[in-house]
Amino acid sequence: MKRLIETLAALPLLALPGGSVALAGVAEREPPSAVLWLLVIGIAALSWVMACRRWWLPLAIWVPAALFISSLIADVADPVIGPALREELGLGYILQLDLAGALVLVLPLMVANMWFTRRE
């Protein structure tokens, strides 16, 4: 009887996308797309405010942002986690992650360049 109950309890796990029990909940570790876009807006605003003080201050944001984005992109590029993410979250999320990551990396550099050229 106990074996039957364990088997019935495990059936919903087999219905997960790809039938992968080990990768269940991969999407739980990834930030939602709304958080990604709020991060882009926050980085842009912080870069602007910091550039008003000194033109080179947005460059200080670039290193932590690059490390954070590279950790997210590394999950997508992983041969095991990447397909599970594409299956759970869809290709639209991956495209948004790439676009938001590119903007987070470029925005501090753009703002610093804009304020540097203004000072000359």
PDB file of all heavy atoms in Angstrom, residues 68-101:
ATOM      1  N   PHE A  68      26.561  40.164 -12.661  1.00  0.00           N
ATOM      2  CA  PHE A  68      25.208  39.647 -12.472  1.00  0.00           C
ATOM      3  C   PHE A  68      24.625  39.122 -13.781  1.00  0.00           C
ATOM      4  O   PHE A  68      24.075  38.021 -13.832  1.00  0.00           O
ATOM      5  CB  PHE A  68      24.303  40.743 -11.895  1.00  0.00           C
ATOM      6  CG  PHE A  68      22.874  40.326 -11.748  1.00  0.00           C
ATOM      7  CD1 PHE A  68      22.507  39.394 -10.794  1.00  0.00           C
ATOM      8  CD2 PHE A  68      21.904  40.861 -12.572  1.00  0.00           C
ATOM      9  CE1 PHE A  68      21.191  38.996 -10.660  1.00  0.00           C
ATOM     10  CE2 PHE A  68      20.586  40.466 -12.452  1.00  0.00           C
ATOM     11  CZ  PHE A  68      20.225  39.535 -11.494  1.00  0.00           C
ATOM     12  N   ILE A  69      24.757  39.888 -14.835  1.00  0.00           N
ATOM     13  CA  ILE A  69      24.221  39.474 -16.126  1.00  0.00           C
ATOM     14  C   ILE A  69      24.953  38.242 -16.643  1.00  0.00           C
ATOM     15  O   ILE A  69      24.341  37.345 -17.226  1.00  0.00           O
ATOM     16  CB  ILE A  69      24.284  40.636 -17.132  1.00  0.00           C
ATOM     17  CG1 ILE A  69      23.321  41.736 -16.711  1.00  0.00           C
ATOM     18  CG2 ILE A  69      23.978  40.181 -18.548  1.00  0.00           C
ATOM     19  CD1 ILE A  69      21.864  41.320 -16.637  1.00  0.00           C
ATOM     20  N   SER A  70      26.248  38.160 -16.426  1.00  0.00           N
ATOM     21  CA  SER A  70      26.979  36.982 -16.897  1.00  0.00           C
ATOM     22  C   SER A  70      26.542  35.723 -16.167  1.00  0.00           C
ATOM     23  O   SER A  70      26.524  34.640 -16.758  1.00  0.00           O
ATOM     24  CB  SER A  70      28.483  37.189 -16.750  1.00  0.00           C
ATOM     25  OG  SER A  70      28.844  37.265 -15.392  1.00  0.00           O
ATOM     26  N   SER A  71      26.148  35.849 -14.899  1.00  0.00           N
ATOM     27  CA  SER A  71      25.637  34.666 -14.191  1.00  0.00           C
ATOM     28  C   SER A  71      24.285  34.226 -14.749  1.00  0.00           C
ATOM     29  O   SER A  71      24.000  33.026 -14.821  1.00  0.00           O
ATOM     30  CB  SER A  71      25.533  34.933 -12.690  1.00  0.00           C
ATOM     31  OG  SER A  71      24.504  35.863 -12.422  1.00  0.00           O
ATOM     32  N   LEU A  72      23.455  35.174 -15.166  1.00  0.00           N
ATOM     33  CA  LEU A  72      22.171  34.815 -15.772  1.00  0.00           C
ATOM     34  C   LEU A  72      22.354  34.191 -17.151  1.00  0.00           C
ATOM     35  O   LEU A  72      21.700  33.203 -17.497  1.00  0.00           O
ATOM     36  CB  LEU A  72      21.272  36.043 -15.875  1.00  0.00           C
ATOM     37  CG  LEU A  72      20.763  36.642 -14.572  1.00  0.00           C
ATOM     38  CD1 LEU A  72      19.933  37.882 -14.855  1.00  0.00           C
ATOM     39  CD2 LEU A  72      19.971  35.639 -13.783  1.00  0.00           C
ATOM     40  N   ILE A  73      23.252  34.764 -17.939  1.00  0.00           N
ATOM     41  CA  ILE A  73      23.503  34.241 -19.276  1.00  0.00           C
ATOM     42  C   ILE A  73      24.182  32.872 -19.200  1.00  0.00           C
ATOM     43  O   ILE A  73      23.958  32.008 -20.044  1.00  0.00           O
ATOM     44  CB  ILE A  73      24.347  35.239 -20.095  1.00  0.00           C
ATOM     45  CG1 ILE A  73      23.610  36.563 -20.254  1.00  0.00           C
ATOM     46  CG2 ILE A  73      24.713  34.677 -21.459  1.00  0.00           C
ATOM     47  CD1 ILE A  73      22.323  36.501 -21.016  1.00  0.00           C
ATOM     48  N   ALA A  74      24.997  32.653 -18.165  1.00  0.00           N
ATOM     49  CA  ALA A  74      25.649  31.347 -17.999  1.00  0.00           C
ATOM     50  C   ALA A  74      24.624  30.245 -17.782  1.00  0.00           C
ATOM     51  O   ALA A  74      24.814  29.118 -18.246  1.00  0.00           O
ATOM     52  CB  ALA A  74      26.635  31.397 -16.839  1.00  0.00           C
ATOM     53  N   ASP A  75      23.534  30.563 -17.083  1.00  0.00           N
ATOM     54  CA  ASP A  75      22.473  29.569 -16.899  1.00  0.00           C
ATOM     55  C   ASP A  75      21.818  29.213 -18.228  1.00  0.00           C
ATOM     56  O   ASP A  75      21.503  28.050 -18.479  1.00  0.00           O
ATOM     57  CB  ASP A  75      21.402  30.074 -15.934  1.00  0.00           C
ATOM     58  CG  ASP A  75      21.876  30.095 -14.501  1.00  0.00           C
ATOM     59  OD1 ASP A  75      22.894  29.432 -14.206  1.00  0.00           O
ATOM     60  OD2 ASP A  75      21.231  30.766 -13.680  1.00  0.00           O
ATOM     61  N   VAL A  76      21.625  30.196 -19.077  1.00  0.00           N
ATOM     62  CA  VAL A  76      20.994  29.946 -20.380  1.00  0.00           C
ATOM     63  C   VAL A  76      21.936  29.146 -21.278  1.00  0.00           C
ATOM     64  O   VAL A  76      21.497  28.301 -22.049  1.00  0.00           O
ATOM     65  CB  VAL A  76      20.595  31.278 -21.045  1.00  0.00           C
ATOM     66  CG1 VAL A  76      20.061  31.055 -22.436  1.00  0.00           C
ATOM     67  CG2 VAL A  76      19.565  31.995 -20.198  1.00  0.00           C
ATOM     68  N   ALA A  77      23.238  29.391 -21.176  1.00  0.00           N
ATOM     69  CA  ALA A  77      24.211  28.706 -22.024  1.00  0.00           C
ATOM     70  C   ALA A  77      24.562  27.314 -21.518  1.00  0.00           C
ATOM     71  O   ALA A  77      25.175  26.543 -22.250  1.00  0.00           O
ATOM     72  CB  ALA A  77      25.477  29.544 -22.128  1.00  0.00           C
ATOM     73  N   ASP A  78      24.183  26.976 -20.297  1.00  0.00           N
ATOM     74  CA  ASP A  78      24.474  25.656 -19.741  1.00  0.00           C
ATOM     75  C   ASP A  78      23.772  24.578 -20.563  1.00  0.00           C
ATOM     76  O   ASP A  78      22.604  24.727 -20.897  1.00  0.00           O
ATOM     77  CB  ASP A  78      24.003  25.617 -18.282  1.00  0.00           C
ATOM     78  CG  ASP A  78      24.460  24.364 -17.579  1.00  0.00           C
ATOM     79  OD1 ASP A  78      25.572  24.362 -17.036  1.00  0.00           O
ATOM     80  OD2 ASP A  78      23.683  23.396 -17.598  1.00  0.00           O
ATOM     81  N   PRO A  79      24.454  23.471 -20.879  1.00  0.00           N
ATOM     82  CA  PRO A  79      23.831  22.446 -21.720  1.00  0.00           C
ATOM     83  C   PRO A  79      22.686  21.697 -21.050  1.00  0.00           C
ATOM     84  O   PRO A  79      21.870  21.079 -21.733  1.00  0.00           O
ATOM     85  CB  PRO A  79      24.982  21.496 -22.049  1.00  0.00           C
ATOM     86  CG  PRO A  79      26.060  21.793 -21.092  1.00  0.00           C
ATOM     87  CD  PRO A  79      25.851  23.187 -20.596  1.00  0.00           C
ATOM     88  N   VAL A  80      22.588  21.747 -19.735  1.00  0.00           N
ATOM     89  CA  VAL A  80      21.497  21.062 -19.035  1.00  0.00           C
ATOM     90  C   VAL A  80      20.402  22.043 -18.634  1.00  0.00           C
ATOM     91  O   VAL A  80      19.219  21.803 -18.878  1.00  0.00           O
ATOM     92  CB  VAL A  80      22.041  20.314 -17.791  1.00  0.00           C
ATOM     93  CG1 VAL A  80      20.918  19.684 -17.009  1.00  0.00           C
ATOM     94  CG2 VAL A  80      23.068  19.280 -18.202  1.00  0.00           C
ATOM     95  N   ILE A  81      20.798  23.153 -18.027  1.00  0.00           N
ATOM     96  CA  ILE A  81      19.823  24.115 -17.523  1.00  0.00           C
ATOM     97  C   ILE A  81      19.194  24.918 -18.658  1.00  0.00           C
ATOM     98  O   ILE A  81      18.013  25.249 -18.614  1.00  0.00           O
ATOM     99  CB  ILE A  81      20.491  25.054 -16.492  1.00  0.00           C
ATOM    100  CG1 ILE A  81      20.986  24.244 -15.307  1.00  0.00           C
ATOM    101  CG2 ILE A  81      19.530  26.118 -16.019  1.00  0.00           C
ATOM    102  CD1 ILE A  81      21.787  25.034 -14.315  1.00  0.00           C
ATOM    103  N   GLY A  82      19.966  25.247 -19.686  1.00  0.00           N
ATOM    104  CA  GLY A  82      19.477  26.063 -20.798  1.00  0.00           C
ATOM    105  C   GLY A  82      18.235  25.499 -21.476  1.00  0.00           C
ATOM    106  O   GLY A  82      17.231  26.204 -21.609  1.00  0.00           O
ATOM    107  N   PRO A  83      18.260  24.240 -21.933  1.00  0.00           N
ATOM    108  CA  PRO A  83      17.049  23.681 -22.550  1.00  0.00           C
ATOM    109  C   PRO A  83      15.860  23.616 -21.593  1.00  0.00           C
ATOM    110  O   PRO A  83      14.719  23.824 -22.001  1.00  0.00           O
ATOM    111  CB  PRO A  83      17.481  22.277 -22.980  1.00  0.00           C
ATOM    112  CG  PRO A  83      18.951  22.359 -23.132  1.00  0.00           C
ATOM    113  CD  PRO A  83      19.408  23.356 -22.106  1.00  0.00           C
ATOM    114  N   ALA A  84      16.137  23.360 -20.309  1.00  0.00           N
ATOM    115  CA  ALA A  84      15.040  23.336 -19.335  1.00  0.00           C
ATOM    116  C   ALA A  84      14.425  24.720 -19.175  1.00  0.00           C
ATOM    117  O   ALA A  84      13.207  24.862 -19.056  1.00  0.00           O
ATOM    118  CB  ALA A  84      15.536  22.804 -17.991  1.00  0.00           C
ATOM    119  N   LEU A  85      15.274  25.754 -19.185  1.00  0.00           N
ATOM    120  CA  LEU A  85      14.763  27.130 -19.103  1.00  0.00           C
ATOM    121  C   LEU A  85      13.934  27.481 -20.331  1.00  0.00           C
ATOM    122  O   LEU A  85      12.877  28.088 -20.222  1.00  0.00           O
ATOM    123  CB  LEU A  85      15.917  28.124 -18.979  1.00  0.00           C
ATOM    124  CG  LEU A  85      16.495  28.357 -17.601  1.00  0.00           C
ATOM    125  CD1 LEU A  85      17.693  29.272 -17.688  1.00  0.00           C
ATOM    126  CD2 LEU A  85      15.466  28.920 -16.682  1.00  0.00           C
ATOM    127  N   ARG A  86      14.452  27.109 -21.511  1.00  0.00           N
ATOM    128  CA  ARG A  86      13.702  27.395 -22.738  1.00  0.00           C
ATOM    129  C   ARG A  86      12.362  26.678 -22.747  1.00  0.00           C
ATOM    130  O   ARG A  86      11.378  27.205 -23.252  1.00  0.00           O
ATOM    131  CB  ARG A  86      14.526  26.981 -23.956  1.00  0.00           C
ATOM    132  CG  ARG A  86      15.535  28.016 -24.337  1.00  0.00           C
ATOM    133  CD  ARG A  86      16.257  27.649 -25.626  1.00  0.00           C
ATOM    134  NE  ARG A  86      17.673  27.934 -25.435  1.00  0.00           N
ATOM    135  CZ  ARG A  86      18.605  27.048 -25.127  1.00  0.00           C
ATOM    136  NH1 ARG A  86      18.295  25.776 -25.026  1.00  0.00           N
ATOM    137  NH2 ARG A  86      19.849  27.422 -24.953  1.00  0.00           N
ATOM    138  N   GLU A  87      12.340  25.495 -22.175  1.00  0.00           N
ATOM    139  CA  GLU A  87      11.097  24.730 -22.154  1.00  0.00           C
ATOM    140  C   GLU A  87      10.101  25.294 -21.143  1.00  0.00           C
ATOM    141  O   GLU A  87       8.904  25.368 -21.416  1.00  0.00           O
ATOM    142  CB  GLU A  87      11.417  23.274 -21.809  1.00  0.00           C
ATOM    143  CG  GLU A  87      10.333  22.316 -22.206  1.00  0.00           C
ATOM    144  CD  GLU A  87      10.843  20.895 -22.128  1.00  0.00           C
ATOM    145  OE1 GLU A  87      11.822  20.573 -22.805  1.00  0.00           O
ATOM    146  OE2 GLU A  87      10.241  20.138 -21.357  1.00  0.00           O
ATOM    147  N   GLU A  88      10.601  25.704 -19.979  1.00  0.00           N
ATOM    148  CA  GLU A  88       9.706  26.208 -18.937  1.00  0.00           C
ATOM    149  C   GLU A  88       9.252  27.644 -19.195  1.00  0.00           C
ATOM    150  O   GLU A  88       8.086  27.967 -19.030  1.00  0.00           O
ATOM    151  CB  GLU A  88      10.386  26.141 -17.568  1.00  0.00           C
ATOM    152  CG  GLU A  88      10.413  24.762 -16.973  1.00  0.00           C
ATOM    153  CD  GLU A  88      10.966  24.780 -15.555  1.00  0.00           C
ATOM    154  OE1 GLU A  88      10.613  25.705 -14.798  1.00  0.00           O
ATOM    155  OE2 GLU A  88      11.740  23.879 -15.223  1.00  0.00           O
ATOM    156  N   LEU A  89      10.205  28.506 -19.551  1.00  0.00           N
ATOM    157  CA  LEU A  89       9.897  29.931 -19.656  1.00  0.00           C
ATOM    158  C   LEU A  89       9.624  30.395 -21.080  1.00  0.00           C
ATOM    159  O   LEU A  89       9.020  31.439 -21.272  1.00  0.00           O
ATOM    160  CB  LEU A  89      11.048  30.750 -19.064  1.00  0.00           C
ATOM    161  CG  LEU A  89      11.305  30.525 -17.581  1.00  0.00           C
ATOM    162  CD1 LEU A  89      12.550  31.264 -17.148  1.00  0.00           C
ATOM    163  CD2 LEU A  89      10.114  30.955 -16.762  1.00  0.00           C
ATOM    164  N   GLY A  90      10.096  29.659 -22.051  1.00  0.00           N
ATOM    165  CA  GLY A  90       9.849  30.014 -23.436  1.00  0.00           C
ATOM    166  C   GLY A  90      10.958  30.863 -24.018  1.00  0.00           C
ATOM    167  O   GLY A  90      11.791  31.437 -23.307  1.00  0.00           O
ATOM    168  N   LEU A  91      10.964  30.938 -25.325  1.00  0.00           N
ATOM    169  CA  LEU A  91      11.991  31.681 -26.036  1.00  0.00           C
ATOM    170  C   LEU A  91      11.858  33.194 -25.822  1.00  0.00           C
ATOM    171  O   LEU A  91      12.850  33.918 -25.825  1.00  0.00           O
ATOM    172  CB  LEU A  91      11.923  31.359 -27.531  1.00  0.00           C
ATOM    173  CG  LEU A  91      13.053  31.880 -28.390  1.00  0.00           C
ATOM    174  CD1 LEU A  91      14.383  31.330 -27.917  1.00  0.00           C
ATOM    175  CD2 LEU A  91      12.810  31.516 -29.840  1.00  0.00           C
ATOM    176  N   GLY A  92      10.634  33.665 -25.576  1.00  0.00           N
ATOM    177  CA  GLY A  92      10.424  35.089 -25.322  1.00  0.00           C
ATOM    178  C   GLY A  92      11.169  35.571 -24.090  1.00  0.00           C
ATOM    179  O   GLY A  92      11.725  36.676 -24.073  1.00  0.00           O
ATOM    180  N   TYR A  93      11.198  34.758 -23.045  1.00  0.00           N
ATOM    181  CA  TYR A  93      11.918  35.136 -21.833  1.00  0.00           C
ATOM    182  C   TYR A  93      13.418  35.199 -22.106  1.00  0.00           C
ATOM    183  O   TYR A  93      14.104  36.108 -21.638  1.00  0.00           O
ATOM    184  CB  TYR A  93      11.648  34.151 -20.699  1.00  0.00           C
ATOM    185  CG  TYR A  93      12.440  34.462 -19.455  1.00  0.00           C
ATOM    186  CD1 TYR A  93      12.021  35.463 -18.587  1.00  0.00           C
ATOM    187  CD2 TYR A  93      13.615  33.790 -19.149  1.00  0.00           C
ATOM    188  CE1 TYR A  93      12.757  35.778 -17.455  1.00  0.00           C
ATOM    189  CE2 TYR A  93      14.356  34.092 -18.032  1.00  0.00           C
ATOM    190  CZ  TYR A  93      13.924  35.083 -17.189  1.00  0.00           C
ATOM    191  OH  TYR A  93      14.654  35.395 -16.078  1.00  0.00           O
ATOM    192  N   ILE A  94      13.928  34.246 -22.876  1.00  0.00           N
ATOM    193  CA  ILE A  94      15.359  34.223 -23.190  1.00  0.00           C
ATOM    194  C   ILE A  94      15.737  35.468 -23.993  1.00  0.00           C
ATOM    195  O   ILE A  94      16.775  36.093 -23.738  1.00  0.00           O
ATOM    196  CB  ILE A  94      15.724  32.941 -23.963  1.00  0.00           C
ATOM    197  CG1 ILE A  94      15.318  31.681 -23.179  1.00  0.00           C
ATOM    198  CG2 ILE A  94      17.201  32.914 -24.317  1.00  0.00           C
ATOM    199  CD1 ILE A  94      15.975  31.515 -21.847  1.00  0.00           C
ATOM    200  N   LEU A  95      14.901  35.848 -24.934  1.00  0.00           N
ATOM    201  CA  LEU A  95      15.166  37.057 -25.721  1.00  0.00           C
ATOM    202  C   LEU A  95      15.117  38.306 -24.846  1.00  0.00           C
ATOM    203  O   LEU A  95      15.947  39.215 -24.996  1.00  0.00           O
ATOM    204  CB  LEU A  95      14.179  37.170 -26.871  1.00  0.00           C
ATOM    205  CG  LEU A  95      14.324  36.104 -27.965  1.00  0.00           C
ATOM    206  CD1 LEU A  95      13.196  36.233 -28.972  1.00  0.00           C
ATOM    207  CD2 LEU A  95      15.670  36.204 -28.628  1.00  0.00           C
ATOM    208  N   GLN A  96      14.146  38.371 -23.920  1.00  0.00           N
ATOM    209  CA  GLN A  96      14.080  39.514 -23.005  1.00  0.00           C
ATOM    210  C   GLN A  96      15.297  39.551 -22.093  1.00  0.00           C
ATOM    211  O   GLN A  96      15.828  40.637 -21.803  1.00  0.00           O
ATOM    212  CB  GLN A  96      12.812  39.436 -22.160  1.00  0.00           C
ATOM    213  CG  GLN A  96      11.567  39.782 -22.898  1.00  0.00           C
ATOM    214  CD  GLN A  96      10.380  39.825 -21.963  1.00  0.00           C
ATOM    215  OE1 GLN A  96      10.493  40.185 -20.800  1.00  0.00           O
ATOM    216  NE2 GLN A  96       9.225  39.454 -22.480  1.00  0.00           N
ATOM    217  N   LEU A  97      15.745  38.394 -21.645  1.00  0.00           N
ATOM    218  CA  LEU A  97      16.935  38.327 -20.796  1.00  0.00           C
ATOM    219  C   LEU A  97      18.161  38.835 -21.546  1.00  0.00           C
ATOM    220  O   LEU A  97      18.952  39.613 -21.006  1.00  0.00           O
ATOM    221  CB  LEU A  97      17.160  36.892 -20.319  1.00  0.00           C
ATOM    222  CG  LEU A  97      18.422  36.620 -19.508  1.00  0.00           C
ATOM    223  CD1 LEU A  97      18.333  37.318 -18.167  1.00  0.00           C
ATOM    224  CD2 LEU A  97      18.615  35.146 -19.323  1.00  0.00           C
ATOM    225  N   ASP A  98      18.310  38.428 -22.788  1.00  0.00           N
ATOM    226  CA  ASP A  98      19.445  38.890 -23.581  1.00  0.00           C
ATOM    227  C   ASP A  98      19.378  40.396 -23.835  1.00  0.00           C
ATOM    228  O   ASP A  98      20.386  41.097 -23.719  1.00  0.00           O
ATOM    229  CB  ASP A  98      19.503  38.145 -24.912  1.00  0.00           C
ATOM    230  CG  ASP A  98      19.920  36.696 -24.742  1.00  0.00           C
ATOM    231  OD1 ASP A  98      20.509  36.370 -23.702  1.00  0.00           O
ATOM    232  OD2 ASP A  98      19.635  35.895 -25.655  1.00  0.00           O
ATOM    233  N   LEU A  99      18.204  40.892 -24.185  1.00  0.00           N
ATOM    234  CA  LEU A  99      18.058  42.324 -24.455  1.00  0.00           C
ATOM    235  C   LEU A  99      18.277  43.157 -23.192  1.00  0.00           C
ATOM    236  O   LEU A  99      18.995  44.167 -23.208  1.00  0.00           O
ATOM    237  CB  LEU A  99      16.680  42.620 -25.045  1.00  0.00           C
ATOM    238  CG  LEU A  99      16.399  44.072 -25.402  1.00  0.00           C
ATOM    239  CD1 LEU A  99      17.377  44.556 -26.461  1.00  0.00           C
ATOM    240  CD2 LEU A  99      14.986  44.225 -25.883  1.00  0.00           C
ATOM    241  N   ALA A 100      17.677  42.736 -22.081  1.00  0.00           N
ATOM    242  CA  ALA A 100      17.866  43.463 -20.819  1.00  0.00           C
ATOM    243  C   ALA A 100      19.324  43.408 -20.384  1.00  0.00           C
ATOM    244  O   ALA A 100      19.869  44.410 -19.899  1.00  0.00           O
ATOM    245  CB  ALA A 100      16.955  42.884 -19.738  1.00  0.00           C
ATOM    246  N   GLY A 101      19.961  42.263 -20.575  1.00  0.00           N
ATOM    247  CA  GLY A 101      21.380  42.145 -20.227  1.00  0.00           C
ATOM    248  C   GLY A 101      22.249  43.063 -21.052  1.00  0.00           C
ATOM    249  O   GLY A 101      23.172  43.705 -20.537  1.00  0.00           O
TER     250      GLY A 101
END
